[in-house]
Amino acid sequence: MEDRLEDLEVRIRDILNSLIAKSSVSFQNCENEISQASSKLKVEIKLPEIPLPVFRGRYYEWSSFKSQFNNIITNNNDLNESQKLYYLKASLQGDAKLLETVDDSFESLIKALETRFEDKRLLTQTHINAILVTERLTSKSARDIRSMTDILNKNIRALKLLDFERFSFEPIRKNIFVKAAVLFPGYCIVLRRNAYHILS
């Protein structure tokens, strides 16, 4: 009787061991299938390609271009210097393209662009002129008023980002108020939290 019990115990252990072995194999198979399915899912979900930013040599577009280009290309550790140079040259058009030379490296071309287009005085003047040359409203539609205030606020924000000093901004602010009064006859122009608001 004891021999039968021992044989039964050995058989049960063998059966359990084989079941455990089969379950670990099937568990590994399940894990493999799950990882394959998730990798297929990753491949199937494709985001739209991000187009390269384009720079045409307009001073007021430089900071936006530089920020986008740095985020997409310059800070991409998977690209080598030659690839970055290729993408930079592909992004340049118009006057900006004229700065390219055959012997440029990525660093030398970026430096040439920064030297030419990061002229804070010229950028400041460009934004001030954009405010001062704004055309007078021909209609009192909400869309036109909103568009006008957006232009004013965009250029004032740009001036602040250029660290345009507050004391040097005061004379220009007066000119902006005068210009706004001409642009918006019959409206009250209010400066709140460094943004212009036009009230009827």
Side-chain angles (χ1 to χ4, degrees):
M1 183 82 147
E2 270 185 42
D3 288 339
R4 283 186 177 180
L5 284 175
E6 284 180 16
D7 284 342
L8 188 60
E9 185 180 346
V10 168
R11 283 185 194 170
I12 291 174
R13 281 188 186 167
D14 286 344
I15 291 171
L16 285 175
N17 286 337
S18 70
L19 287 174
I20 289 171
K22 286 180 183 178
S23 68
S24 69
V25 168
S26 66
F27 180 72
Q28 287 175 350
N29 288 341
C30 286
E31 281 184 334
N32 289 340
E33 287 176 19
I34 289 170
S35 69
Q36 287 174 356
S38 68
S39 67
K40 284 181 184 177
L41 184 62
K42 287 178 187 174
V43 171
E44 291 173 14
I45 298 174
K46 286 207 173 204
L47 295 173
E49 288 186 26
I50 299 173
L52 278 176
V54 174
F55 182 60
R56 294 177 181 83
R58 297 183 186 122
Y59 283 90
Y60 61 89
E61 293 176 347
W62 170 250
S63 61
S64 174
F65 167 77
K66 184 180 176 187
S67 174
Q68 290 175 17
F69 191 83
N70 284 343
N71 289 335
I72 297 170
I73 303 297
T74 307
N75 299 336
N76 187 338
N77 296 328
D78 294 334
L79 298 175
N80 63 37
E81 295 296 307
S82 298
Q83 291 169 319
K84 291 177 183 181
L85 177 62
Y86 174 81
Y87 287 124
L88 180 57
K89 286 184 174 185
S91 295
L92 301 179
Q93 296 178 0
D95 289 345
K97 194 95 172 149
L98 299 175
L99 289 176
E100 287 182 24
T101 66
V102 176
D103 299 324
D104 268 327
S105 68
F106 176 71
E107 290 299 322
S108 69
L109 185 53
I110 281 285
K111 187 72 176 162
L113 289 165
E114 288 173 345
T115 301
R116 170 118 181 244
F117 294 104
E118 282 187 15
D119 183 347
K120 283 191 175 187
R121 189 177 63 80
L122 188 58
L123 286 170
T124 301
Q125 185 179 1
T126 301
H127 289 294
I128 291 169
N129 286 340
I131 291 169
L132 296 177
V133 300
T134 307
E135 294 183 23
R136 186 172 193 253
L137 276 181
T138 55
S139 71
K140 293 183 179 183
S141 72
R143 182 174 176 234
D144 289 346
I145 293 170
R146 198 171 34 250
S147 173
M148 183 72 63
T149 55
D150 288 345
I151 290 169
L152 292 172
N153 288 327
K154 175 182 86 169
N155 287 290
I156 290 169
R157 258 192 341 270
L159 288 170
K160 287 182 182 196
L161 291 173
L162 289 168
D163 292 329
F164 195 57
E165 299 297 325
R166 187 175 183 88
F167 68 86
S168 61
F169 189 61
E170 287 306 319
I172 293 160
R173 184 178 287 179
K174 290 175 187 168
N175 285 338
I176 293 170
F177 270 116
V178 169
K179 178 72 175 179
V182 170
L183 293 172
F184 302 107
Y187 287 86
C188 176
I189 295 113
V190 178
L191 179 66
R192 269 191 233 136
R193 295 186 185 149
N194 297 317
Y196 286 94
H197 301 276
I198 298 167
L199 309 173
S200 56

